[in-house]
């Protein structure tokens, strides 16, 4: 399979909009809104291992995990692979876990596909950015 840049600007624009709306839902600390962007099998891969959607959303619902800021840095890289689109971008965020503040600068790659006509994320990979 050949990897090609997306040539459909409308798909790229849709995905950037979806990502920005997902980030806004995370900053709003609204678990239902956040979950609407995730496929049922979504997982996040980070230095802590795998976190399921159920576990992540549980932290948000309990108030143990909150975000006060999250922003994209620069333009994302978007690549299509059949029915899956990979979106890689740098993002900064400020989170609080059980009252302790964490500031992060990260590279994220999200794998999106259309489910019932909507873009939903299957997997998020997070890598800390080095300054």
């Amino acid at each position: 399979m050949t990897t090609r840049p997306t040539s459909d600007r409308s798909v790229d624009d849709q995905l950037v909009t979806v990502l920005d709306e997902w980030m806004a839902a995370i900053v709003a600390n609204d678990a239902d809104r956040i979950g609407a962007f995730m496929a049922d099998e979504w997982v996040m891969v980070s230095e802590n291992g795998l976190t399921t959607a159920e576990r992540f959303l549980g932290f948000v619902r309990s108030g143990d995990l909150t975000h006060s800021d999250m922003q994209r840095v620069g333009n994302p890289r978007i690549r299509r692979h059949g029915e899956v689109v990979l979106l890689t971008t740098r993002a900064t965020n400020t989170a609080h876990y059980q009252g302790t503040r964490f500031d992060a600068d990260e590279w994220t790659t999200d794998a999106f596909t259309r489910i019932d006509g909507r873009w939903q994320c299957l997997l998020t990979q997070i890598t800390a950015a080095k300054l």
Side-chain angles (χ1 to χ4, degrees):
M1 176 181 228
T2 303
T3 302
R4 292 173 299 211
T6 56
S7 58
D8 185 346
R9 287 296 326 153
S10 68
V11 169
D12 290 7
D13 292 343
Q14 288 172 28
L15 285 165
V16 170
T17 297
V18 165
L19 181 64
D20 289 344
E21 290 173 355
W22 192 11
M23 288 180 164
I26 291 170
V27 171
N29 300 299
D30 184 330
D32 292 335
R33 267 178 61 200
I34 296 166
F37 293 93
M38 301 170 167
D40 290 341
E41 67 269 19
W42 178 88
V43 293
M44 178 175 55
V45 182
S46 70
E47 70 276 3
N48 297 318
L50 294 176
T51 301
T52 64
E54 180 180 2
R55 186 163 190 228
F56 182 84
L57 296 172
F59 288 137
V60 174
R61 281 190 180 93
S62 72
D64 283 345
L65 176 64
T66 61
H67 287 81
S68 58
D69 185 53
M70 182 171 281
Q71 299 179 39
R72 272 188 305 111
V73 177
N75 293 317
R77 176 183 186 267
I78 300 172
R79 298 291 185 267
R80 280 187 154 185
H81 300 272
E83 298 298 315
V84 173
V85 180
L86 301 176
L87 187 153
T88 302
T89 194
R90 191 167 181 173
T92 59
N93 74 77
T94 300
H96 296 82
Y97 181 69
Q98 296 181 336
T100 302
R101 179 180 169 147
F102 295 91
D103 293 296
D105 183 352
E106 304 165 320
W107 285 98
T108 65
T109 298
D110 294 300
F112 285 95
T113 194
R114 285 188 198 262
I115 299 173
D116 297 328
R118 293 182 312 121
W119 287 108
Q120 290 192 295
C121 190
L122 301 164
L123 177 136
T124 298
Q125 169 74 51
I126 298 173
T127 304
K130 291 206 177 197
L131 303 177

